[in-house]
């Protein structure tokens, strides 16, 4: 592995005497896309919140770009960006105003230009002057993601980045994530969609029973299981493929 961007050792966290994280260990290399999978309540958001300094662990250590999340939280905050499981927008502001606000807070030059190019990238130009609380769920999600790209951060945490998005918007977000990673951003994402991890992740970790029970590339994970059987089946298109086909025909008309 090249340089380590995220290092987690023996991370522990309990809520009301219930131990949610029982010693979580993993490492993510710079520029990697790392997917954290786990059932509802497995502790994915808890892990992301600890790594992004929003929550204190009860035990263990975590480093982001070499900075200790507990003792050097200011440095950690300067290195990261987070798109939480639930959108963090100011509903009173328009889409463009939300983006400009973050760009100004982060001290980015030319906040208006940054806002406009992100609005275009996330297909929000037409809605740019509307208040964010009038956006649909998918539009809020896209604006939230756009906000987290301002900077740009060295490490990006994406907690269920495509939950609630339609298939087209999901593919758009996947492309953005891949683009970011190829420009050197390290990405830790949590997801319920296994095909999302399959599509995007360089490495996958499964969080279960408070620990990482498996880590590896998709190929490595596949090798752990019995060899594939060869069967001849007629492959029907998935509903997603049908949906995207119909939409693209409609757009071409
Ligand atoms: N602030 C809190 N107070 C009490 N319990 C909490 C708190 N935050 C999380 N928990 C509990 O910790 C466990 C892990 O929650 P967490 O949100 O990390 O799971 P998750 O893997 O992100 O689940 P999901 O897939 O539903 O988002 C759950 O049982 C949850 O109820
Ligand atoms: Mg969660």
């Amino acid at each position: 592995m090249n340089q380590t961007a995220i290092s987690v050792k023996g991370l522990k966290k309990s809520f009301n005497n219930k131990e949610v994280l029982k010693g979580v260990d993993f490492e993510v290399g710079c520029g990697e896309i790392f997917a954290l999978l786990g059932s509802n309540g497995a502790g994915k958001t808890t892990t992301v919140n600890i790594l992004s300094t929003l929550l204190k662990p009860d035990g263990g250590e975590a480093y982001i770009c070499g900075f200790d999340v507990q003792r050097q939280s200011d440095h950690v905050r300067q290195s990261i960006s987070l798109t939480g499981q639930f959108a963090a927008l100011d509903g009173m502001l328009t889409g463009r105003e939300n983006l400009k606000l973050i760009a100004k807070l982060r001290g980015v030059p030319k906040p208006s230009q940054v806002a406009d190019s992100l609005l275009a990238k996330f297909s929000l130009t037409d809605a740019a002057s509307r208040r964010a609380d009038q956006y649909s769920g998918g539009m809020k999600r896209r604006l939230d993601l756009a906000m987290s790209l301002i900077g740009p951060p060295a490490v990006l945490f994406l907690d269920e980045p495509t939950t609630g998005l339609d298939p087209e918007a999901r593919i758009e977000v996947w492309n953005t994530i891949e683009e970011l990673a190829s420009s050197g951003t390290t990405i830790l994402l949590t997801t319920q969609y296994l095909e999302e991890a399959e599509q995007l992740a360089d490495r996958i970790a499964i969080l279960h029973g408070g620990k990482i029970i498996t880590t590896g590339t998709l190929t490595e994970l596949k090798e752990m299981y019995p060899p594939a059987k060869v069967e001849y089946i007629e492959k029907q298109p998935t509903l997603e493929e049908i949906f995207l086909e119909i939409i693209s025909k409609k757009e071409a008309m």
Side-chain angles (χ1 to χ4, degrees):
M1 202 189 296
N2 47 358
Q3 261 189 317
T4 307
I6 305 173
S7 170
V8 180
K9 288 177 202 149
L11 212 58
K12 289 190 176 171
K13 182 73 188 176
S14 300
F15 294 109
N16 314 321
N17 294 326
K18 186 177 166 242
E19 208 177 13
V20 173
L21 304 182
K22 301 180 181 174
V24 168
D25 302 287
F26 62 87
E27 288 203 341
V28 182
C30 287
E32 240 191 332
I33 303 181
F34 188 82
L36 193 57
L37 304 181
S39 324
N40 289 136
K44 302 181 297 295
T45 298
T46 303
T47 304
V48 166
N49 285 350
I50 292 172
L51 298 182
S52 53
T53 77
L54 296 175
L55 196 66
K56 287 221 170 305
D58 299 334
E61 296 167 27
Y63 298 87
I64 308 291
C65 301
F67 299 118
D68 185 327
V69 293
Q70 295 188 77
R71 287 173 205 85
Q72 296 170 292
S73 49
D74 286 348
H75 285 97
V76 171
R77 281 185 211 125
Q78 282 164 22
S79 314
I80 64 164
S81 194
L82 163 71
T83 298
Q85 189 167 1
F86 305 100
L89 311 163
D90 188 334
M92 300 286 279
L93 300 181
T94 67
R96 182 179 283 112
E97 286 165 348
N98 266 293
L99 288 163
K100 276 171 70 176
L101 177 70
I102 300 293
K104 283 183 187 159
L105 287 174
R106 299 228 162 129
V108 170
K110 302 188 181 152
S112 294
Q113 279 182 26
V114 170
D116 285 339
S117 75
L118 283 168
L119 288 162
K121 190 177 178 77
F122 285 89
S123 314
L124 289 169
T125 304
D126 292 345
S129 305
R130 271 169 48 205
R131 273 172 50 164
D133 58 4
Q134 295 168 7
Y135 281 15
S136 74
M139 289 161 81
K140 282 183 183 153
R141 201 89 269 252
R142 264 145 50 208
L143 179 59
D144 200 27
L145 261 174
M147 284 161 66
S148 72
L149 302 190
I150 296 171
V155 177
L156 179 60
F157 295 104
L158 300 172
D159 195 1
E160 303 202 17
T162 62
T163 300
L165 292 187
D166 64 46
E168 265 189 310
R170 174 169 301 155
I171 289 168
E172 210 174 291
V173 168
W174 285 357
N175 291 340
T176 309
I177 292 174
E178 279 174 336
E179 239 172 72
L180 274 170
S182 65
S183 70
T185 302
T186 304
I187 295 165
L188 187 154
L189 70 95
T190 77
T191 184
Q192 297 288 346
Y193 302 113
L194 303 187
E195 84 273 17
E196 180 159 293
E198 228 175 325
Q199 176 83 23
L200 289 177
D202 297 310
R203 281 190 313 130
I204 296 163
I206 299 173
L207 179 60
H208 186 76
K211 293 195 170 197
I212 301 289
I213 54 167
T214 305
T215 316
T217 62
L218 186 62
T219 318
E220 285 165 353
L221 296 189
K222 282 183 176 163
E223 279 168 3
M224 288 178 196
Y225 293 89
K229 278 191 290 184
V230 180
E231 282 182 9
Y232 294 94
I233 49 164
E234 184 182 291
K235 190 175 176 301
Q236 298 284 343
T238 64
L239 184 56
E240 176 164 327
E241 282 161 355
I242 295 168
F243 177 86
L244 291 171
E245 179 73 21
I246 293 170
I247 296 267
S248 67
K249 281 214 178 103
K250 198 120 199 232
E251 274 166 3
M253 282 198 306

